[in-house]
Every structure is written in C-alpha cells, then in structure tokens.
Amino acid sequence: MASSTAATMLKASPVKSDWVKGQSLLLRQPSSVSAIRSHVAPSSLTVRAASAYADELVKTAKTIASPGHGIMAMDESNATCGKRLASIGLENTEANRQAYRTLLVSAPGLGQYISGAILFEETLYQSTTDGKKMVDVLVEQNIVPGIKVDKGLVPLVGSNDESWCQGLDGLASRTAAYYEQGARFAKWRTVVSIPNGPSALAVKEAAWGLARYAAISQDSGLVPIVEPEILLDGEHGIDRTYEVAEKVWAEVFFYLAQNNVMFEGILLKPSMVTPGAEATDKATPEQFLSGGQSELEATLNLNAMNQAPNPWHVSFSYARALQNTCLKTWGGREENVKAAQDVLLARAKANSLAQLGKYTGEGESEEAKEGMFVKGYTY
C-alpha cells in the first residue's frame, strides 16, 4: 500500500465524524498498515509482480480508475436478475435478460462516465439483441469488460451462522478462459455480518479467499476487485461498523501480501462505513462516507468523500444505485428503451460528478430517493 497507485478504491471510504472530511481511513494508511505489521515482519511485506501481465494489470487498473468514472455492476446471477425482472412484471427468460443487458451496455455515451462493467458469465458470452457481442459493444464505448468469478455464498461450518464464498476450485482455468473472451478484470464478493459476530473464523476465511482469488486472477491477466463487504444488516452504530471494517481490511491486506498479490494491480471495493440499516441513530454524509442505499444517498455519500483530496481514486461500483430507476422506466417495453437509457445516463453522470466532488443533488427525482435495502440480501 505504499505506492500511490495501489489499491484503487471503489464504492466506499470511511470517515468518522471527528476526522477531516473526505479523508479515508484505509487510504490514510497508519491504522490499517500498522495492523498488518503486527502480524508480520516488515521485510515480508515486499510484494513482487508475480504475473507476466504485470504492466497490463497496472494499465487496466488505471483505466478503470480514471477521473470522473466508475464501475457499473450488472453481474447479478440469473436468479437475482429474475427478481429484478419480476419487479416490472417480466418472466425470467434469457431473452428478457438479454434485452435488459443490451439496454444497459448500448446506452449512447455511457463511456463518458463508466469505465468498467462487471458482467455475469452469461453476459460475457452473450450477444445483444442486434447480434453484436456484449463485450465488443462495451469496448467500443471505451468501457473495460469485467466478470464475476465467485460461485456464491454458502454456510460456514463452525461459525456463528455466517457464510464463506466458494469458487476457488477451477478458478485458474476459468479466469484464463474469461481473459480470452475479452474480460480484463474480475470480481469476487465475500461478506462479513456484524450482528453475527463477526467471528474470527469468518473474517479469516473471507480474507484468505479474497487473497487466493486475487493472486489467481492476476496470474491470468485479470485485475481483481477485492470486495470484503460489511453487510448493512443490523442495529449497530457507525463506530461499530468502523471498528469491524478496519479489522477486516487489515486481515485482507495481510493475506494479500502473503500471496504476493501486486497491490498496484487491484481494485479495492469495501462497502461504505455507515450505521446498520436498522439503527435508530443515523449519520449524515459528512459523518460517514452501496448496496441498499437509495440512488440519491449513494451519490451524496460519494460526493462527500471527494470534497477533499484523497491519496487514491475514490469512486463507485454501483448496481441498483445506477439501475433502479432505469429498470422501472423501461418496464420491459421497447418504446421505453431510450427513456430508460436517458435515466441511466443521468445517474451515471451524477455519480461522475460526485467522483469529482462536484455533485449538487439538484433536480433529483422522487424515485432516486427511495431506499433499496433488503434484509439478508443475496444475489
């Protein structure tokens, strides 16, 4: 984490109310780095570029982390995408999933604000309704294609009703194939639950899994998004979230170093440090800096994080926070495609401005203010 290009930050950055507004804990380094060093001697933190793709990895990370840009996450599993479609009265068929994803990737001018798109495996190999490869449409928009590579959460035996993320078996061959198909970055989502502990076992499992995935992805030429998500579920306050987040991130970077992951070639995607979704004591954007937040909340929080200079690019990786109103506007109707794409572009532009610290919130719709938290959310 010593390099100014290392550990590109997407989606979140914690700020306690007594800290300088916009300054992030993890990127500030002292707390998290000292926590890592309590585990290992400084000499063992030397990280080498083990991948033959080292230069390309750094270039990809910098491209995704370009000013005024962020990531559109459209990697929901087919089952979860089906829930989205059901909300607008559509069946969960491949044709309907194809139509919706075509709408997203082909929105004219999307590349002005979006630099990367995370795809589900079906989408990576899928063509648009016009017969073009989804990957090619993204590249034409100067958007880097990415791919979700984990196999989902399953119960962690021996824990306090917690989960672990599966998918390491066969990952090397899959990431190599994804690279050949045009993907240039990867995503692996694991979660930590505050109401359930979190147990030391769950934290270690999450950190080790992320580290192994990151090393394997880099070896195949894919920039890994390292995503230790602290779930929103719970009644805890922001200080408890902050405490758990610091512990989890320290553990993650400890194992990343042990696995010789090149920090300059990763994207760090921690969840925002906020009070639990069911907490009575809420916080303002100036106190904390997405899943489950309204579109407006997510944008305001991102903007607050960028009101002061950050040592790394602090941006967004949003799914529902970009697509919620877009999906409703579309409603599965061909005649609504342009209107839905206009809504998507408006949300993307708002978050682009927020990444630059220039978002004002003027002219936002009521739909953008609707919360999207789902208790026990999985996808």
Side-chain angles (χ1 to χ4, degrees), residues 1 25-39 245-247 249-251 253-254:
M1 288 198 303
L25 165 70
L26 185 58
L27 301 184
R28 196 176 185 182
Q29 297 185 13
S31 297
S32 53
V33 172
S34 62
I36 296 172
R37 286 175 178 165
S38 68
H39 289 286
E246 182 179 17
K247 178 180 179 181
W249 296 340
E251 195 88 347
F253 273 89
F254 168 62

Side-chain angles (χ1 to χ4, degrees), residues 147-295:
I147 178 68
K148 168 184 163 71
V149 300
D150 67 77
K151 293 295 184 179
L153 301 171
V154 292
L156 177 60
V157 176
S159 72
N160 184 27
D161 195 26
E162 295 164 287
S163 301
W164 68 282
C165 186
Q166 59 185 348
L168 290 177
D169 288 351
L171 181 59
S173 60
R174 286 189 287 119
T175 51
Y178 296 151
Y179 182 92
E180 289 300 316
Q181 183 62 17
R184 289 298 179 267
F185 71 100
K187 174 190 174 183
W188 175 286
R189 174 184 179 257
T190 194
V191 302
V192 172
S193 170
I194 291 180
N196 290 359
S199 68
L201 174 64
V203 172
K204 182 175 181 178
E205 178 61 46
W208 178 257
L210 283 168
R212 290 305 305 147
Y213 137 78
I216 293 168
S217 295
Q218 287 189 341
D219 196 55
S220 295
L222 303 181
V223 169
I225 289 181
V226 176
E227 183 176 5
E229 180 173 346
I230 312 298
L231 294 174
L232 284 177
D233 302 71
E235 301 176 355
H236 52 276
I238 190 172
D239 288 332
R240 177 58 178 157
T241 308
Y242 174 89
E243 175 188 3
V244 171
E246 182 179 17
K247 178 180 179 181
V248 171
W249 296 340
E251 195 88 347
V252 167
F253 273 89
F254 168 62
Y255 286 117
L256 287 172
Q258 277 207 333
N259 281 274
N260 296 310
V261 171
M262 184 177 65
F263 291 158
E264 293 86 348
I266 71 171
L267 301 173
L268 177 64
K269 184 185 172 187
S271 46
M272 289 186 182
V273 171
T274 69
E278 296 154 315
T280 55
D281 184 17
K282 299 298 182 182
T284 66
E286 286 72 32
Q287 289 176 294
F288 64 81
L289 273 204
S290 125
Q293 299 173 45
S294 72
E295 292 173 328

Side-chain angles (χ1 to χ4, degrees), residues 80 101 172 177 185 197 249 267 345 351:
T80 301
R101 287 161 175 164
F185 71 100
W249 296 340
L267 301 173
L345 289 171
N351 285 290

Side-chain angles (χ1 to χ4, degrees), residues 26-170:
L26 185 58
L27 301 184
R28 196 176 185 182
Q29 297 185 13
S31 297
S32 53
V33 172
S34 62
I36 296 172
R37 286 175 178 165
S38 68
H39 289 286
V40 296
S43 60
S44 64
L45 277 174
T46 301
V47 179
R48 64 177 181 273
S51 174
Y53 296 95
D55 291 342
E56 183 181 0
L57 292 169
V58 173
K59 181 179 178 181
T60 298
K62 287 183 176 180
T63 297
I64 295 173
S66 54
H69 291 76
I71 289 176
M72 177 172 67
M74 44 183 292
D75 58 315
E76 297 98 338
S77 66
N78 288 346
T80 301
C81 189
K83 295 177 183 177
R84 302 276 189 274
L85 295 174
S87 73
I88 57 171
L90 291 185
E91 291 184 42
N92 185 15
T93 64
E94 183 177 356
N96 284 336
R97 294 193 298 270
Q98 178 192 39
Y100 180 55
R101 287 161 175 164
T102 295
L103 181 159
L104 296 175
V105 303
S106 62
L110 187 63
Q112 297 176 73
Y113 317 115
I114 300 297
S115 52
I118 312 170
L119 310 178
F120 189 62
E121 187 176 68
E122 177 182 77
T123 316
L124 182 69
Y125 290 94
Q126 201 171 41
S127 295
T128 66
T129 52
D130 296 329
K132 294 183 179 180
K133 292 181 179 179
M134 294 275 189
V135 170
D136 291 345
V137 174
L138 288 169
V139 172
E140 288 171 4
Q141 296 238 53
N142 295 316
I143 298 173
V144 181
I147 178 68
K148 168 184 163 71
V149 300
D150 67 77
K151 293 295 184 179
L153 301 171
V154 292
L156 177 60
V157 176
S159 72
N160 184 27
D161 195 26
E162 295 164 287
S163 301
W164 68 282
C165 186
Q166 59 185 348
L168 290 177
D169 288 351

Side-chain angles (χ1 to χ4, degrees), residues 324-336:
N324 192 52
T325 304
C326 169
L327 180 66
K328 292 180 179 179
T329 302
W330 176 50
R333 300 176 182 273
E334 179 64 29
E335 62 268 26
N336 293 340

